[in-house]
Amino acid sequence: MCWIHLLVLLAPAIWQVDSHNATAYKELLAKLNDSEYYDAGLRPNITGDAVAVEIDLVLNSVGPVQEMDMTWTASFYLRQEWVDDRLVIGPGAGRVKMDGSHISEFWVPDVFFSNNKDGRKHHLTVDNHLLYVNGTNGRILYSQRLTVVSNCEMDLIKFPHDSQTCDIKLESYSFTTDDLTLGWSTSRSATSLLPTAYIPDFAIDDVSVSDCSATYAIGTYPCLKATVHMRREIGYYIFQTYLPSVLIVILSWASFWIDHEAVPARISVGLLTVLTITTQLSGSRSQLPRVPYIKAIDVWMSTNLVFVFAAYMEYAVVTVLSRRYKKKKMKDARNLPLDDSQELSVIQIHLADSTEKSTTENGGPVANGSSPTFQIRRPSSPSSPLPVLDSTDTGRRLDKRSRFMFPLVFAVFNVTYWTYYLAIA
Ligand SMILES: *[C@@H]1O[C@H](CO)[C@@H](O)[C@H](O)[C@H]1NC(C)=O
Ligand SMILES: *[C@@H]1O[C@H](CO)[C@@H](O)[C@H](O)[C@H]1NC(C)=O
Ligand SMILES: *[C@@H]1O[C@H](CO)[C@@H](O)[C@H](O)[C@H]1NC(C)=O
Ligand SMILES: *[C@@H]1O[C@H](CO)[C@@H](O)[C@H](O)[C@H]1NC(C)=O
């Protein structure tokens, strides 16, 4: 980067060496003023070869990149060089710096950005452009500071772990390759990035250049393309999206430690986490276009929604299970268990005289007759275990299991997600 910086700093110094030759400047103005001799409507070497324009770009800011309308903004210095032999002054003339107000009197290439949506020249405090003429050989350097908003087809399938390539395309509007050719600079690097370049949400991996001359029905038009390879900085999304949603998922597990009898507490934890994730999900989508495929951020947010939803549903299951358990317990307390599959011995005790009256096998309400009775139930053999529902509240047990199952599954999901998007994709 340092040598680019040096070049940029040194360039104006070199240009200024000869730019104070007032005689040469006056001679040049006289040439421009002579409409017989110089016509800005005619390209240089009109009877000869196509004029060769050499171009280089110095990027001084990249961004913002707008995913919503798939555009990106780039600010750069566009420098064009060509030879106009009509403007040769003499051997000793050297470089002549033209005043900004005279630039419109020169022939300049009609380069435009074929993929741009919008753009502007900078006018503060004066028009940000310069033109130097080398009076010795008629070589012209024309530099402008531009900000261009261009279309950029983006593939957001890996968003926000994505890389994007966006183009700046320069074409000549009216000249075919018979009259004008565009080429990347041979004396300077075709594209360079200012060390102070402002690039907020991306890291620039590379800027590659190519020729994109295209043949249309009315001829072959010269075209140059600079492709900026950008890698999105994940940092913003870590703090804006990933960390908050992880915390909310963890918060949803807090309900497993809250007693299931505490209905308002568990309902509010469940509802709040589901609602918060839903809000985050729509928030993460609001700045992205409606693309037909699933983005990485969608995978993340939807899975988190499923996690908090599952934690909420777990409570529903716990409620049902423990209600069932309570009913059973109550039934056990005042009635006979009527399970045909269990061999039970029932001892009926007559209260009136406290003597054993009858014993029935295989259940069935036996409380008949007029005398008040109560039943004692016990397993057919003393060693056989009690039925599960009688000894444990399965709802409570589900809570206990969820306490480590949910974090485990979430950890597995995280490992899968991050390895897939950071290493594989
Ligand atoms: C330009 O040409 C006109 C005559 O055509 C003359 O009056 C004027 O002074 C010239 N200006 C310069 C700067 O030479
Ligand atoms: C103009 O064109 C001729 C060929 O027709 C070529 O020899 C000459 O170098 C060209 N001049 C410039 C300045 O490009
Ligand atoms: C200025 O340019 C003229 C040619 O137009 C040249 O003869 C003269 O030597 C130059 N003067 C200086 C100081 O370079
Ligand atoms: C102007 O052109 C001459 C002849 O090609 C060259 O020697 C000189 O270095 C050029 N001036 C600058 C400032 O590049």
Side-chain angles (χ1 to χ4, degrees):
M1 279 306 160
C2 208
W3 59 274
I4 300 173
H5 201 165
L6 267 179
L7 269 183
V8 170
L9 287 178
L10 284 177
I14 296 168
W15 295 116
Q16 277 157 14
V17 171
D18 303 322
S19 65
H20 298 297
N21 189 332
T23 328
Y25 179 72
K26 289 241 170 67
E27 277 181 53
L28 193 60
L29 282 189
K31 279 178 192 288
L32 289 173
N33 199 20
D34 185 351
S35 59
E36 293 290 310
Y37 178 74
Y38 187 88
D39 184 345
L42 294 178
R43 70 168 177 90
N45 213 0
I46 186 78
T47 52
D49 288 347
V51 54
V53 179
E54 287 190 3
I55 287 180
D56 71 297
L57 299 176
V58 181
L59 288 162
N60 69 352
S61 93
V62 176
V65 174
Q66 305 278 1
E67 288 82 17
M68 200 59 168
D69 32 351
M70 300 233 175
T71 59
W72 70 300
T73 305
S75 270
F76 49 85
Y77 299 97
L78 170 68
R79 300 199 285 219
Q80 306 170 72
E81 268 189 275
W82 67 95
V83 174
D84 194 339
D85 50 11
R86 291 173 292 182
L87 300 176
V88 173
I89 301 159
R95 298 269 185 182
V96 179
K97 176 189 159 297
M98 289 313 296
D99 182 64
S101 62
H102 287 292
I103 289 177
S104 59
E105 294 165 28
F106 284 82
W107 176 89
V108 293
D110 60 345
V111 163
F112 76 109
F113 299 96
S114 57
N115 64 339
N116 85 322
K117 258 196 161 166
D118 199 4
R120 65 192 184 94
K121 285 183 168 188
H122 293 255
H123 302 291
L124 282 177
T125 58
V126 292
D127 292 347
N128 293 183
H129 59 185
L130 63 82
L131 194 146
Y132 290 124
V133 179
N134 186 339
T136 315
N137 59 4
R139 196 168 179 82
I140 294 173
L141 176 105
Y142 179 40
S143 166
Q144 305 169 75
R145 187 171 158 229
L146 304 171
T147 295
V148 173
V149 181
S150 310
N151 291 318
C152 178
E153 199 57 49
M154 291 180 215
D155 181 5
L156 297 172
I157 205 152
K158 283 180 246 158
F159 181 92
H161 314 282
D162 56 335
S163 295
Q164 301 294 346
T165 54
C166 296
D167 297 331
I168 299 169
K169 255 174 141 178
L170 296 139
E171 275 185 70
S172 165
Y173 202 88
S174 66
F175 292 108
T176 62
T177 46
D178 295 335
D179 286 313
L180 185 144
T181 57
L182 293 178
W184 290 108
S185 178
T186 47
S187 51
R188 286 186 293 270
S189 81
T191 58
S192 45
L193 200 62
L194 277 185
T196 50
Y198 170 74
I199 311 159
D201 38 6
F202 282 89
I204 306 273
D205 281 339
D206 183 29
V207 185
S208 61
V209 294
S210 56
D211 191 296
C212 54
S213 298
T215 305
Y216 302 102
I218 45 175
T220 302
Y221 285 83
C223 168
L224 289 183
K225 187 164 81 174
T227 308
V228 182
H229 302 261
M230 308 181 270
R231 197 168 14 86
R232 197 182 297 277
E233 300 277 17
I234 187 80
Y236 169 81
Y237 297 91
I238 293 283
F239 291 105
Q240 186 70 22
T241 310
Y242 288 99
L243 201 58
S245 56
V246 167
L247 292 180
I248 288 158
V249 171
I250 292 174
L251 179 66
S252 75
W253 303 335
S255 85
F256 305 146
W257 271 268
I258 301 172
D259 191 85
H260 65 75
E261 310 271 320
V263 181
R266 292 199 62 163
I267 293 270
S268 47
V269 168
L271 264 185
L272 271 180
T273 51
V274 169
L275 286 180
T276 315
I277 288 279
T278 315
T279 315
Q280 278 203 340
L281 190 133
S282 53
S284 77
R285 281 195 186 155
S286 64
Q287 278 149 34
L288 293 171
R290 289 180 196 168
V291 285
Y293 46 79
I294 296 167
K295 301 177 284 294
I297 191 97
D298 296 337
V299 172
W300 174 265
M301 292 310 294
S302 313
T303 313
N304 282 357
L305 180 61
V306 168
F307 268 100
V308 293
F309 185 75
Y312 193 31
M313 279 297 112
E314 187 263 3
Y315 179 55
V317 175
V318 167
T319 317
V320 170
L321 287 180
S322 59
R323 195 192 303 132
R324 223 179 256 171
Y325 161 78
K326 248 186 262 168
K327 258 190 199 158
K328 201 101 184 174
K329 216 167 70 176
M330 240 132 67
K331 214 190 250 168
D332 286 351
R334 52 179 150 74
N335 212 339
L336 256 185
L338 308 173
D339 197 338
D340 288 345
S341 65
Q342 290 167 354
E343 265 192 64
L344 296 170
S345 304
V346 174
I347 304 159
Q348 237 187 1
I349 298 162
H350 202 276
L351 281 178
D353 54 9
S354 296
T355 52
E356 205 175 280
K357 251 188 161 180
S358 66
T359 306
T360 58
E361 295 258 338
N362 283 340
V366 286
N368 47 9
S370 54
S371 54
T373 60
F374 76 87
Q375 293 123 22
I376 296 164
R377 170 191 149 264
R378 61 175 174 79
S380 48
S381 77
S383 61
S384 83
L386 287 165
V388 172
L389 265 178
D390 289 346
S391 61
T392 331
D393 184 345
T394 35
R396 207 175 285 271
R397 217 167 47 173
L398 182 61
D399 261 354
K400 273 189 185 139
R401 282 206 184 141
S402 305
R403 280 176 205 174
F404 66 92
M405 280 312 288
F406 272 71
L408 187 72
V409 179
F410 190 65
V412 169
F413 161 69
N414 261 274
V415 169
T416 321
Y417 177 89
W418 291 103
T419 40
Y420 180 76
Y421 283 107
L422 293 188
I424 301 166

